[in-house]
Amino acid sequence: LHTTYQKTKTVKRKIAAVKAFFAYLIYQDKIDDNPMSKIRTSFRETKLLPRTISTSDLNSIFSKLYDEINKCKTDYQIKVCTRNAAVIELLFSTGIRVSELCQLKDKEINLNEQYIRIFGKGAKERIIQIGNPEVLRILLTYRSLFKDQIESCGYFFINKLGNPLSEQSVRLLLSHFEKELHLPQHITPHMFRHTFATKLLEEDVDIRYIQHILGHSSITTTQIYTHIHSNKQKEILRLKNPRNFIHRI
């Protein structure tokens, strides 16, 4: 294994696969000794801070989303552009994973009561409210435009063939905006989740509320966002430090 060029988690996963393979050969009596039995490995995983999207880039993306709707000339274009806006609005306003978004069933989103029911990792269920009127408005518009296809498919977000929208389709959608707007960084669905959590933390939302909203089983997972929050703290202490307003006579 060429560990120099591979991420730690990738190397650990490959070693685990090799160990499982030799254990299987032992179980099947194909070999007598497991060459991996005495191998001990220890890795220090690199702690990578989650990448977020700047407010200026978010403004550009959302402006582009609604500009495209306004410029549509056919019913088909209106439907596609409305769906695109609904997808990104829900991603950013709830912090849900792209897998959760694509697996969201029609029966799990209640636009009258303004909430979605999510079954996340480990089949854990959580409720997230739709708290922004503009998000609710675009979801209602999308639902009315795709009513028949949604009821036929059962999933809330669907593609042009009437099947559930795929995660790859969402990634391609973001790549489209990234290229159209000449954004300085590669945008992924998970970056909306990271940005959502970071913005909540900057607004002094208790980290345990954020943990529940994101569906993290452990507070340790959520605490990674406190590292980004420290950048905001650094900015505050640089620009708004009380010492800045004290002048020696």
Side-chain angles (χ1 to χ4, degrees):
L1 293 173
H2 302 288
T3 57
T4 306
Y5 301 100
Q6 300 183 63
K7 291 182 178 180
T8 303
K9 286 185 178 179
T10 303
V11 176
K12 289 174 68 177
R13 185 171 62 250
K14 290 184 176 181
I15 291 176
V18 173
K19 285 184 176 180
F21 174 68
F22 281 113
Y24 171 78
L25 294 180
I26 290 285
Y27 179 77
Q28 294 291 330
D29 294 324
K30 300 294 184 182
I31 59 175
D32 296 324
D33 298 306
N34 187 341
M36 299 293 289
S37 61
K38 294 184 179 180
I39 293 180
R40 298 290 181 268
T41 56
S42 178
F43 296 94
R44 177 178 292 178
E45 291 192 22
T46 303
K47 296 290 185 181
L48 298 176
L49 293 179
R51 295 190 303 131
T52 59
I53 309 171
S54 69
T55 300
S56 60
D57 285 348
L58 285 171
N59 289 338
S60 297
I61 291 171
F62 281 94
S63 295
K64 181 70 172 175
L65 277 170
Y66 288 95
D67 282 345
E68 289 197 347
I69 293 176
N70 293 331
K71 292 178 181 177
C72 288
K73 296 180 179 179
T74 67
D75 291 343
Y76 175 77
Q77 289 176 339
I78 291 174
K79 291 178 69 173
V80 171
C81 290
T82 300
R83 185 203 60 197
N84 293 346
V87 165
I88 294 181
E89 285 279 22
L90 198 63
L91 267 183
F92 182 58
S93 65
T94 62
I96 62 175
R97 301 175 178 93
V98 65
S99 58
E100 295 170 340
L101 179 137
C102 292
Q103 290 299 310
L104 186 64
K105 301 283 184 61
D106 184 38
K107 64 182 180 181
E108 294 161 356
I109 181 164
N110 189 323
L111 297 179
N112 291 325
E113 299 295 330
Q114 302 177 24
Y115 71 83
I116 56 176
R117 186 186 305 274
I118 299 172
F119 296 92
K121 290 184 177 180
K124 290 179 60 179
E125 178 183 334
R126 68 188 192 276
I127 301 291
I128 298 183
Q129 287 72 29
I130 303 168
N132 180 277
E134 193 162 358
V135 176
L136 180 62
R137 190 178 305 116
I138 195 68
L139 290 174
L140 285 167
T141 303
Y142 163 78
R143 180 68 173 73
S144 66
L145 289 174
F146 284 82
K147 184 177 184 295
D148 293 339
Q149 295 96 316
I150 290 173
E151 291 179 354
S152 175
C153 176
Y155 287 83
F156 189 71
F157 288 111
I158 58 178
N159 61 22
K160 62 183 180 181
L161 299 177
N163 298 321
L165 189 68
S166 69
E167 295 178 30
Q168 182 61 14
S169 294
V170 179
R171 294 189 178 93
L172 290 174
L173 168 62
L174 295 179
S175 294
H176 162 73
F177 285 106
E178 179 187 329
K179 293 174 183 176
E180 286 285 313
L181 297 169
H182 305 289
L183 300 180
Q185 60 178 335
H186 176 54
I187 304 295
T188 67
H190 219 63
M191 288 172 69
F192 283 93
R193 180 172 168 86
H194 292 324
T195 307
F196 169 81
T198 304
K199 294 292 186 186
L200 288 181
L201 204 59
E202 289 178 354
E203 292 297 320
D204 297 322
V205 176
D206 188 283
I207 194 169
R208 293 201 175 274
Y209 286 119
I210 300 175
Q211 176 193 358
H212 178 74
I213 293 170
L214 294 180
H216 288 161
S217 57
S218 170
I219 192 68
T220 304
T221 308
T222 317
Q223 283 174 336
I224 190 170
Y225 296 108
T226 61
H227 295 291
I228 290 186
H229 186 52
S230 67
N231 292 332
K232 180 67 175 180
Q233 177 176 299
K234 181 179 179 181
E235 180 184 352
I236 290 171
L237 291 177
R238 182 175 64 85
L239 299 176
K240 300 185 178 181
N241 196 309
R243 182 61 181 83
N244 296 349
F245 306 101
I246 305 299
H247 305 285
R248 290 185 295 172
I249 299 176

